Amino acid sequence: AHIKKTDANIIRELAYTIGYPISMLITRIVQTCTLRRATTTHFYRSLATTYSDSDPFGDAEAAREESMEQEANNGNKTVKLDQHKYEDYKGQEYYKTMQTEQAIQGMQAEIRHLYANNEYEQALMMAAELVERCEVHFGKSHPVTASSYNNMAVMHKVLGQFEESREKYHQALRVYDEIVGKNHLSYAAALHNLGMLEKDQARIDTERNAMDRMALLESAIEQLNSALEIRKESLGEAHPDTISSRTNLGSAIAAQVLQGGGSSRGNLAKQSAFTKRRWKVAETHLRTALRHSMENKSEEEEAIESDSSREALPKIRTLSAARMAQNLAVFLKSRAEQLASSKTKNVEVDIGEMLAESRGLYEAALTVRMELLGAEHPDTISSKFSLAELVAFLGDEEGANKMRQEIVDLLGEAEG
């Protein structure tokens, strides 16, 4: 009687704990229990993990609800576990299905482990094997398979294999379009990741010429803007995913302006007006993202404690807010450098004030990252290096060199 009332999720966890040898016993328990439809939903949510640039191991937004919707519609008997219809199934079929799906979960966990330890080649090999298993078990037009395409694309990207990464993102997009349509959050997640790929490729792919990089930025802006609109509609302005799309859209627009995008034709006055508008659009996105990230008060996100000695700095307490602050700081420094090198004076902008704000944002981001991540973390080092470059630009070469030396010493200790 106790077993019949046991929650299905507890049974599932028990199966994972005791391992495969007892799986047949679990199958017998399943036969005597009323397994709610929510059980399968929960299991598929754990399978459909989508890695993304903003949160490589976040929740299963890419295939949460649609996986169950699809299974309900196509009548896949290996997934439906209604007690009243169990006689339609063979025990061995269910056993094999259970083994396969547990193996897929195990592979996902191993990929996460390899990724976290920078073992990207091995992670890519396992991601490729995972794609094959998902295609065989679920079929190519299934959200879990689409998620595996997306995850493989992430591994290609970190290895600098941009074309292979792009191909996998497009595969994921085609599946999501077919299953849930272009206004769904799963589609938005893949769009965001594709936009991030093209934004980053424009910055670091030295084999591309200036025109190619501009084309990549144009495409990145289009993808990120589309993802932002979907996320705003479905999640609201203050959701972390919406904020992520917004800040990266602002950064992509700023990068486009810095490379001269959109101002290569027409007279000088029109070019200047266009450039100012684009700068303004980029700044608005970046400031809006920072404001929302500072207003968010998630209990799950760690934050540094308030300190009276930091009152001069912006109210930046979390890692997500630190990332938005870093992005805005980069923008302000780049904009100030561009204005300082321009032959035409802009009386509307105070360059000194812009640089002072940039410095405050860098310092705030560095403080948060130092406390929450530690001095040796790559994000902390990135903030310190950026701050050093700004300090050097302001004329304090001695102060900049001191920070640079601190970075060198840290990296030396890490290698030792």
Side-chain angles (χ1 to χ4, degrees), residues 295-350:
E295 291 171 353
N296 278 350
K297 296 181 180 180
S298 172
E299 295 181 359
E300 298 179 359
E301 187 169 20
E302 189 177 4
I304 64 173
E305 295 182 3
S306 298
D307 189 331
S308 59
S309 66
R310 301 190 185 109
E311 290 306 313
L313 299 178
K315 305 295 183 181
I316 295 167
R317 302 284 183 254
T318 64
L319 290 173
S320 58
R323 184 164 66 92
M324 304 309 149
Q326 178 92 2
N327 289 347
L328 179 57
V330 170
F331 167 84
L332 292 170
K333 177 178 178 288
S334 300
R335 176 66 167 143
E337 289 176 336
Q338 189 258 357
L339 289 170
S341 63
S342 177
K343 295 181 180 180
T344 58
K345 299 296 180 181
N346 191 329
V347 296
E348 301 174 4
V349 179
D350 187 328

Side-chain angles (χ1 to χ4, degrees), residues 49 53 55 57 81 89 95 112 129 134 160 180 183 210 226 340 350 372-373 416:
T49 302
D53 292 298
D55 183 7
F57 310 108
L81 301 177
Y89 309 117
Y95 175 58
R112 289 195 293 272
E129 184 181 346
C134 288
V180 295
N183 293 319
S226 296
D350 187 328
L372 299 182
L373 299 175

Side-chain angles (χ1 to χ4, degrees), residues 186-221:
S186 301
Y187 193 84
L191 272 180
H192 174 94
N193 287 349
L194 178 59
M196 289 298 297
L197 167 71
E198 295 179 332
K199 172 176 171 284
D200 292 343
Q201 185 180 4
R203 177 173 55 87
I204 63 179
D205 190 353
T206 57
E207 296 182 0
R208 297 277 182 163
N209 59 37
M211 291 297 294
D212 286 343
R213 289 196 297 273
M214 286 307 307
L216 285 169
L217 284 172
E218 283 284 358
S219 180
I221 290 169

Side-chain angles (χ1 to χ4, degrees), residues 168 171 173 193 206 227 264 281 296 299 381 383 407 415:
K168 290 300 175 185
Q171 278 186 276
L173 284 168
N193 287 349
T206 57
S264 59
V281 170
N296 278 350
E299 295 181 359
I381 293 173
S383 288
I407 294 173
E415 291 178 0

Side-chain angles (χ1 to χ4, degrees), residues 248-272:
N248 284 295
L249 175 59
S251 296
I253 294 172
Q256 182 193 52
V257 177
L258 283 172
Q259 292 201 28
S263 59
S264 59
R265 298 179 179 179
N267 62 54
L268 186 61
K270 288 184 178 180
Q271 292 172 18
S272 177

Side-chain angles (χ1 to χ4, degrees), residues 17-85:
T17 302
I18 62 181
Y20 293 133
I22 319 295
S23 292
M24 288 305 295
L25 173 61
I26 301 303
T27 300
R28 291 175 180 269
I29 295 174
V30 168
Q31 292 177 5
T32 64
C33 294
T34 301
L35 287 185
R36 301 188 304 275
R37 191 167 179 261
T39 309
T40 311
T41 304
H42 184 82
F43 186 67
Y44 270 82
R45 287 180 178 179
S46 62
L47 284 179
T49 302
T50 294
Y51 303 159
S52 71
D53 292 298
S54 58
D55 183 7
F57 310 108
D59 62 10
E61 197 68 70
R64 285 184 165 182
E65 304 301 336
E66 63 271 22
S67 60
M68 276 307 304
E69 290 171 5
Q70 186 190 34
E71 298 305 330
N73 291 333
N74 68 19
N76 188 334
K77 292 185 178 182
T78 65
V79 177
K80 290 184 177 180
L81 301 177
D82 188 334
Q83 180 186 4
H84 300 295
K85 296 182 179 179

